[in-house]
Amino acid sequence: LYGAGVRRAPGDAREPVDPEQAALLALIAEGADTPAAIARTGLQAQRCLAVLGSLELAGYVRREAGGRYSIVI
């Protein structure tokens, strides 16, 4: 039905992360996957929630059971 090169696989349409978001993604990857655990690393709770929200809206993380966040690959 389709020849080679006629259709392309969709690319990653997400916006690139800024340094603050990248740092938060690294914390989640290291196991600090709840807002409370992230806040214990020194990031202010209010800022932590704002950055988590932006990452969730951008499609980089999703909220799991128990308020934990996981990285979306």
Side-chain angles (χ1 to χ4, degrees), residues 23-59:
L24 193 57
L25 284 171
L27 287 173
I28 293 170
E30 293 171 3
D33 58 353
T34 64
I38 295 168
R40 284 193 293 269
T41 66
L43 186 63
Q44 293 179 348
Q46 191 173 24
R47 187 65 194 148
C48 165
L49 292 173
V51 176
L52 279 172
S54 68
L55 286 170
E56 190 172 8
L57 288 172

Side-chain angles (χ1 to χ4, degrees), residues 5-22:
V6 174
R7 293 185 60 182
R8 295 180 183 258
D12 191 359
R14 299 181 291 190
E15 294 290 323
V17 295
D18 62 36
E20 187 175 35
Q21 290 172 324

